[in-house]
Amino acid sequence: MNLGTTQRYYLQTMGVDVFVARNSAKDIKTIKSPEERQITVSSVPDTDDNQVIWNDLRKQVAVCTRCVLHEGRTQTVFGVGDTHADWMIIGEAPGAEEDRQGEPFVGRAGKLLNSMLYAIGLRREQVYIANILKCRPPNNRDPRPEEVACCEPYLKQQIALINPKIILAVGRIAAQNLLKVDTPIGQMRGRRYEYPEPRVPVVVTYHPAYLLRSPREKRKSWQDLQLAMRIYRESK
Ligand code: URA
């Protein structure tokens, strides 16, 4: 198997075993992180009138009582990252740690998500991360359709304001709700979808929490990330 530097770095950071010829082992130890290799993503200076709209939206979400989930939350989890990002990552809903800290993907799954992003040359701060739901469902149960419907306008506005070049949907719940399909995730990954308004390409991959439970699937998720990067590059 002939692995590229980024791929090996990714596999390393994700804990996937890499099979290499003996004389390449030294190379692997010296693989640099994307940051060290100074992969950069263009960022737009923040001269943005949209900040007023963002602040309004943030306030609306913070006091939202549209569904029952507000009763059990510590706080809402709005989203985090660069509001001018080319990449938007959309997950399912806050878990216990996210509910405590008010930020998406800060638990174990979040650390793996960071590694996944890092492997394709992106730092967490360079993307925008949000969830289908802004409040934690009790005991991390699946979001209910009425909860998704109540929260949808917030996410729609976030997508419209960011107008990213690509959306990476992580996990079945995110993918199915974003794209309004009930296709199993195994059949959704590996192809390009489109979010309708604004039109943004969407790539689906496994949820990092699932990857923690099923590390053998990390290779497939690496393929998904590569697909997303190809589509992103083509969009420029
Ligand atoms: N899982 C998600 O889908 N989102 C989070 O923010 C945390 C865990």
Side-chain angles (χ1 to χ4, degrees), residues 177-195:
N177 285 295
L178 201 61
L179 297 165
K180 309 279 180 232
V181 295
D182 55 11
T183 315
I185 187 161
Q187 288 171 33
M188 293 183 85
R189 49 166 302 276
R191 47 173 292 199
R192 175 198 172 118
Y193 284 86
E194 191 157 88
Y195 186 78

Side-chain angles (χ1 to χ4, degrees), residues 77 90-95 98 103-107 109-110 129-131 170 174 207-209:
V77 177
I90 300 182
E92 176 179 333
E98 289 76 21
E103 183 171 327
F105 283 102
V106 287
I129 307 176
N131 283 313
V170 296
H207 195 287

Side-chain angles (χ1 to χ4, degrees), residues 36-204:
E36 287 166 318
R37 282 186 276 125
Q38 292 183 312
I39 291 178
T40 54
V41 170
S42 58
S43 65
V44 181
D46 195 355
T47 54
D48 201 352
D49 294 339
N50 283 349
Q51 283 315 320
V52 178
I53 305 173
W54 274 110
N55 289 342
D56 270 5
L57 186 58
R58 193 179 281 280
K59 282 182 199 154
Q60 278 179 51
V61 169
V63 296
C64 180
T65 55
R66 287 184 188 175
C67 80
V68 291
L69 294 181
H70 77 275
E71 291 168 6
R73 74 183 176 218
T74 304
Q75 59 192 313
T76 56
V77 177
F78 181 74
V80 72
D82 181 357
T83 53
H84 300 284
D86 284 352
W87 287 69
M88 193 163 175
I89 317 297
I90 300 182
E92 176 179 333
E97 201 49 43
E98 289 76 21
D99 173 73
R100 247 192 305 278
Q101 294 191 36
E103 183 171 327
F105 283 102
V106 287
R108 275 186 75 218
K111 293 205 169 62
L112 181 53
L113 179 64
N114 293 349
S115 286
M116 292 162 72
L117 295 173
Y118 207 55
I120 50 169
L122 296 169
R123 278 178 289 112
R124 182 178 168 92
E125 311 77 63
Q126 290 175 303
V127 305
Y128 194 90
I129 307 176
N131 283 313
I132 296 289
L133 293 189
K134 310 295 185 217
C135 295
R136 181 191 182 207
N139 304 315
N140 298 340
R141 67 155 167 75
D142 284 357
R144 296 191 174 134
E146 65 275 16
E147 294 159 357
V148 173
C150 288
C151 234
E152 193 172 294
Y154 299 137
L155 183 61
K156 271 192 173 163
Q157 284 183 68
Q158 287 174 304
I159 297 171
L161 284 164
I162 295 166
N163 196 14
K165 294 217 161 46
I166 188 152
I167 294 174
L168 182 69
V170 296
R172 174 182 67 85
I173 301 279
Q176 292 182 342
N177 285 295
L178 201 61
L179 297 165
K180 309 279 180 232
V181 295
D182 55 11
T183 315
I185 187 161
Q187 288 171 33
M188 293 183 85
R189 49 166 302 276
R191 47 173 292 199
R192 175 198 172 118
Y193 284 86
E194 191 157 88
Y195 186 78
E197 186 56 52
R199 289 173 64 179
V200 182
V202 178
V203 170
V204 172

